[in-house]
Amino acid sequence: MTRFMSDRLKRQQSAHKYAYRQRAAARVKSRWSESGEVCEGCGLPSSVVEVSHRFGKGGHLLRDLGDGIASSPLLSMALCCKRTPERDGIGCHELVDENRDIPLRDRLRWEALDRYCDGHRLARIDRMAFDPVGGARELERMVREAAA
């Protein structure tokens, strides 16, 4: 009986996580549509984009950055991709996820952190004191403090 409840709880949590990510993706694509359908990475018009989680989905890049923050529409971006007809098989999503363009990856992470801080009325993270991943850890600390 206990095992059945545990499996059920896991399915409910998985469904909740999926539904949250779907809503977040819809908000990112809405922002893309309102911006004139341009990639948030290169700024070029893009007929097809993918939602890119700039700090991974919860637990994949930063163990302490929960899924609610990591999958936030404020930390996610609409980036052109290999399926974008205008891009010849490689887009910003692949460039940053495969670490082919480190400056672009870091710039997008900082933009996402700034957008999250602005959206939640938190002080922006000092770029001179942290790298983007350290900035995300600082963001997590700030969110915990604001909630306490």
Side-chain angles (χ1 to χ4, degrees), residues 20-90:
Y20 176 81
R21 287 182 184 161
Q22 290 299 105
R23 286 192 308 273
R27 288 181 59 193
V28 171
K29 288 191 175 180
S30 174
R31 186 175 65 227
W32 164 73
S33 179
E34 291 168 5
S35 73
E37 297 185 354
V38 297
C39 170
E40 291 184 88
C42 61
L44 296 174
S46 301
S47 58
V48 177
V49 292
E50 292 177 345
V51 174
S52 173
H53 299 83
R54 292 313 332 124
F55 293 95
K57 295 174 188 167
H60 292 175
L61 180 61
L62 299 172
R63 227 173 282 150
D64 51 348
L65 194 64
D67 195 54
I69 295 175
S71 293
S72 163
L74 297 172
L75 288 180
S76 301
M77 298 188 141
L79 300 179
C80 61
C81 59
K82 63 184 174 190
R83 296 181 300 116
T84 306
E86 303 90 351
R87 295 300 173 273
D88 281 339
I90 188 155

